[in-house]
Amino acid sequence: QSRASLGWFVSATLMDARYTRWNNPEIATDPTKSIENKRVEYAPKLTCRSGVSFKMEALTATLQWSYVDGVFTDAANTDSPTANAQAGKIPSYQLVDCSVKYAFTKQFFLQAALNNAMNAHYATRRSGGYPGPGLLPGTGRTFTCTIGLTL
């Protein structure tokens, strides 16, 4: 008699990270340069990971969806990319990952994983130096296969 189980998981973070004051005497008299109440750079409002996991005897399969909200890359919250490509908002992105594992014995298993299964084009940060300047792309679709032996 085989036993199967299905599980669901979710992890989410809501964050409203903002600068509360800016003590820079050089710009204290210029409200256009103030970053007070601006969003902290690289701090997404929402990050969410959710998925399902299926297990039946020696077989385990997992499907995961990830969402990361758009972020500003500078304290001034510049929305459009600047001419030097070092500032500007990075849009939100979604990823789908899946994996399958089969345990032949307690010591020997085979696992395969497909990350970014939909081959989403996304960026995670900006660079001012090497290899930039500009957006640094996220990892494209990748496939890995693992043979494991526990001694």
Side-chain angles (χ1 to χ4, degrees), residues 85-104:
Q86 294 179 11
K89 190 172 184 178
I90 296 176
S92 63
Y93 62 91
Q94 301 179 56
L95 300 174
V96 175
D97 303 322
C98 51
S99 65
V100 177
K101 179 179 179 181
Y102 187 83
F104 295 96

Side-chain angles (χ1 to χ4, degrees), residues 37-57:
N37 206 35
K38 300 276 182 148
R39 297 192 58 75
V40 173
E41 55 272 38
Y42 295 103
K45 289 181 188 177
L46 174 65
T47 303
C48 182
R49 306 211 193 298
S50 179
V52 294
S53 199
F54 173 78
K55 183 168 175 60
M56 186 169 71
E57 296 180 0

